[in-house]
Amino acid sequence: MAREHTKNILESYDDMLSKERDASKYRNKGKRNTSVKTVYGEVEYERRVYQTRLADGTKAHVYLLDRYMGVEKIGLISTNLAEKIANSVAELPYRASAEILSSSTGQVISAGGVWNVTQELGVRISSEEELDVKKMKAFTMYEGWDAEKEKEGRSTLVEKVVFAGMDGSRGFPKRGKL
């Protein structure tokens, strides 16, 4: 019943998007069958594919339903099921995870499928971390100089403090006062 309800909701949203789309920008190329494995079983539904032109003028095919819903699925696996897979493999081997997930969801999930989902999640996490690292800024400050080493003719800084974060440069002095 939950699968049928989910199918109806998805197809209703697809109908709504078809009516509201900019027809000059998105040309309806018909419906395509698809499915997604969820924690309550596999949901089969139809969604429309649209042809559009990218900024460089090339043709592209898009599913407005996926864009609208922010659907993030890995292959035919829902985000919720992918999360359950990730939690399971943190504690168990792939084969044991596959057996437990198959019995609890009523669908066949192989050890290889569990491995594939885990690899895809790893790739996504790595790319998100790379973006965060690009945003990160570092700030180093020192209290002063070592007076004894200064007498020896060597300049050495003391009381080094390093801050790292996502703040702009104006936010760092405030953190230094914590």
Side-chain angles (χ1 to χ4, degrees):
M1 197 157 83
R3 291 191 303 262
E4 188 64 29
H5 188 63
T6 301
K7 174 188 177 195
N8 292 336
I9 290 172
L10 292 171
E11 290 178 351
S12 293
Y13 274 121
D14 192 54
D15 292 341
M16 177 195 70
L17 292 168
S18 179
K19 292 174 188 169
E20 294 178 357
R21 80 183 192 286
D22 180 351
S24 65
K25 188 175 178 183
Y26 296 103
R27 182 174 173 212
N28 187 346
K29 299 299 282 183
K31 291 184 177 183
R32 303 291 187 272
N33 291 324
T34 190
S35 66
V36 61
K37 289 185 178 185
T38 69
V39 293
Y40 48 87
E42 190 167 351
V43 176
E44 295 180 8
Y45 63 100
E46 289 184 329
R47 62 186 173 162
R48 289 176 182 83
V49 63
Y50 300 92
Q51 184 177 341
T52 189
R53 293 226 178 245
L54 300 177
D56 64 3
T58 59
K59 290 181 182 178
H61 291 87
V62 297
Y63 294 95
L64 293 181
L65 179 63
D66 290 0
R67 282 186 179 176
Y68 179 77
M69 300 291 292
V71 172
E72 290 188 37
K73 58 183 184 178
I74 298 170
L76 299 176
I77 306 284
S78 71
T79 304
N80 192 9
L81 184 55
E83 183 180 318
K84 293 208 178 300
I85 290 171
N87 289 336
S88 179
V89 297
E91 303 289 329
L92 300 168
Y94 295 119
R95 188 167 309 283
S97 294
E99 289 172 6
I100 289 170
L101 291 163
S102 291
S103 66
S104 66
T105 62
Q107 49 192 313
V108 178
I109 301 172
S110 68
V114 169
W115 186 86
N116 289 337
V117 169
T118 305
Q119 297 305 305
E120 179 62 28
L121 287 172
V123 167
R124 289 185 184 192
I125 290 168
S126 292
S127 64
E128 287 176 14
E129 286 176 348
E130 285 177 25
L131 290 174
D132 287 343
V133 168
K134 287 180 183 178
K135 295 176 189 174
M136 186 171 287
K137 297 168 181 57
F139 173 76
T140 306
M141 74 177 182
Y142 300 87
E143 184 69 30
W145 290 268
D146 183 328
E148 294 300 315
K149 290 188 179 174
E150 192 74 29
K151 290 177 188 174
E152 298 171 10
R154 295 179 21 198
S155 181
T156 305
L157 297 170
V158 295
E159 299 297 326
K160 179 179 181 178
V161 178
V162 178
F163 295 98
M166 305 297 188
D167 288 343
S169 59
R170 294 180 186 188
F172 282 117
K174 293 175 190 168
R175 288 185 182 263
K177 296 177 184 176
L178 293 177

